[in-house]
Amino acid sequence: MTRTRTIHRPAATGIAVAATTALVLSSCTLLGEGEDDTGSPPTSAGTEDDAGSDGTEDDSGDSTDDADGSDASAEPDPEPVETGTVVLAAHDSFTLPDELLAQFEADTGYDLEVQLSGDAGAMANQLVLTAGNPTADVVFGVDNTFASRVIAEEALAAYTSEELPESAEEHALPDGSAYLTPIDYGDVCVNIDTYWFANQGITPPETLADLLEPEYEDLFVTPGASTSSPGMAFLLATVGEFGPDQWQGYWEDLMDNGAKVTSGWTDAYTVDFTAGGGEGDRPIVLSYASSPPATIPEGGFEPTSRALLDTCFRQVEYAGVLEGAANPQGAEAVVDWLLSPEVQAAIPDAMYVYPVDDEVALPELWSQWAQVAESPIVVHPQQIEAERETWLREWADIATG
C-alpha cells in the first residue's frame, strides 16, 4: 500500500495536510510482500516591474529613464522562486516534525508530498517496478540490505550532495555511493530485560551463540525475516556471524530451543517482550541498540533493558534522486535538506536512529544508554543482493515451515 501525505506551504493559518490512499502494489514482501511495519517540474515565478512608456519621475520632477524607457534606478529583479511539487517516497516509519517540513517548503518554494510505501522491502519493490517511470521524485529509506538491487535496476539517478558531512563517508556504499546518500543508521541487536534476569537469578546471554543454551529455552522472540526489516537484519547477522553455509544449522538449533517468530517488530517488542510495555513472557527480543532508553520507567534513572552489542547488524538508510523524476531539482533539494543540521538533529527523537552527521548533539539519554556497536556484524551489500532470495527461502523452510 502507498499512502500519500501532501504538505502545502504554510499560510497564515498554518500547514494544510491532506492524506489520500492509493493502491500501488497488491503484494509486497522481501520475497514480494511488505510488512504492515506526481510531482511537476518547478517553474520560475519571478517578479517584474512594468515601467510606463512615459518614464518615472523622481521627487524633483527629473526623468530617471534611460533612452529605451527603462528605469535605471529600479532594484534588480529578485532571484526566481522555485515552485511546484516534489514527491518523496518513504517507508512507513518516516516522520519528522511538522515545523521542519514547513521550513523546507518556505526555504525552497516547493510543496512537499510524502508517499508512504510500506516497509523498506515493499518500497524497494515499488522502486524496481517503476524504474525509469517513478511515481515520486526522491526516495528516503532504502537501506543497505536492498541498495544493490535498486541501483542494479537503474531506478536511481546520480547525485552527490554538497551538504554531505565528512562523518557520513564511513556509511557510504562500497559501490553505488554516487546514487544513494547516507542519512541515518541504526544497529539491530538482541535486547534483554535486565530486571527479569536479575530477579530470576539467571546470567543473561551476551552473544548469538549463547541463545542456543538450554537456560534460554523459550525466552527469545524475533520478527520474521520475510516480513520485517529488523527481522531481515537479524537473519543477515547470523549469516555474517556463522557464514553462508553454517547459519542454517544455527537457525535449526535456535528454533529447537523455542525461539518465537512474529510477523513484525511491534508484536515481538510490545506484545511478547517482558520489558516492552505489554505483558509479555519473553525477556529476550530482537530490537535496536537505541531501544533501551524507552524502557526507563517513570521516575526511574536507568533502563530496564540492555542491547547486546556483540549481536548487532548495522542498517544504513539512504536517500536518492529517482531516475525519470518529474522534478529532479526538487529531489536534489530534498536530499540536501535531509542532511541539514536541523533534520539530522531531529532524526533520533523522530525515528529512533542515529544521524550520519556526528557533530549534531544526540538526546541526553541516548548518549548514556543507546551506545552503538564498536564492531557490528557485516555482510557485503553485493553478497546480500546475490543471495537474498535464496537465504529467505532457506530461512522460511526452517523458521516457518
Side-chain angles (χ1 to χ4, degrees), residues 39-40 84-88 104 110-114 137-138 327 330-331 334:
S40 56
T85 298
V86 57
V87 183
L88 169 64
F104 168 80
Y110 292 114
D111 292 329
L112 180 61
E113 182 180 299
V114 180
D137 301 302
V138 59
N327 189 347
V334 171

Side-chain angles (χ1 to χ4, degrees), residues 28-240:
C28 300
T29 63
L30 306 187
L31 285 168
E33 296 176 4
E35 185 193 0
D36 49 353
D37 246 277
T38 51
S40 56
T43 58
S44 297
T47 59
E48 184 173 307
D49 294 331
D50 296 326
S53 60
D54 57 352
T56 303
E57 294 185 349
D58 60 17
D59 291 341
S60 64
D62 296 330
S63 173
T64 60
D65 291 358
D66 290 335
D68 61 0
S70 62
D71 187 352
S73 65
E75 293 292 330
D77 288 346
E79 289 294 323
V81 176
E82 300 288 1
T83 60
T85 298
V86 57
V87 183
L88 169 64
H91 55 58
D92 283 354
S93 297
F94 172 78
T95 181
L96 285 171
D98 286 343
E99 56 266 28
L100 288 180
L101 302 171
Q103 191 62 53
F104 168 80
E105 295 188 322
D107 289 345
T108 66
Y110 292 114
D111 292 329
L112 180 61
E113 182 180 299
V114 180
Q115 291 181 351
L116 301 180
S117 305
D119 73 355
M123 184 178 67
N125 285 341
Q126 180 180 343
L127 295 179
V128 169
L129 289 172
T130 59
N133 187 30
T135 61
D137 301 302
V138 59
V139 62
F140 164 79
V142 175
D143 67 21
N144 49 321
T145 68
F146 285 97
S148 295
R149 180 186 181 197
V150 176
I151 292 171
E153 295 294 335
E154 299 183 350
L156 298 162
Y159 176 64
T160 301
S161 174
E162 294 183 357
E163 306 300 320
L164 193 66
E166 184 176 345
S167 58
E169 292 180 4
E170 67 176 285
H171 305 293
L173 288 166
D175 303 297
S177 59
Y179 295 92
L180 285 171
T181 300
I183 302 299
D184 63 62
Y185 67 97
D187 286 348
V188 177
C189 317
V190 175
N191 279 227
I192 61 168
D193 181 343
T194 53
Y195 276 31
W196 187 94
F197 280 98
N199 289 335
Q200 296 295 322
I202 299 174
T203 301
E206 296 293 341
T207 68
L208 293 176
D210 288 348
L211 299 181
L212 305 183
E213 296 298 326
E215 57 263 40
Y216 308 124
E217 184 177 2
D218 297 331
L219 299 186
F220 177 54
V221 58
T222 179
S226 61
T227 55
S228 163
S229 290
M232 179 64 182
F234 181 59
L235 169 58
L236 293 174
T238 63
V239 172

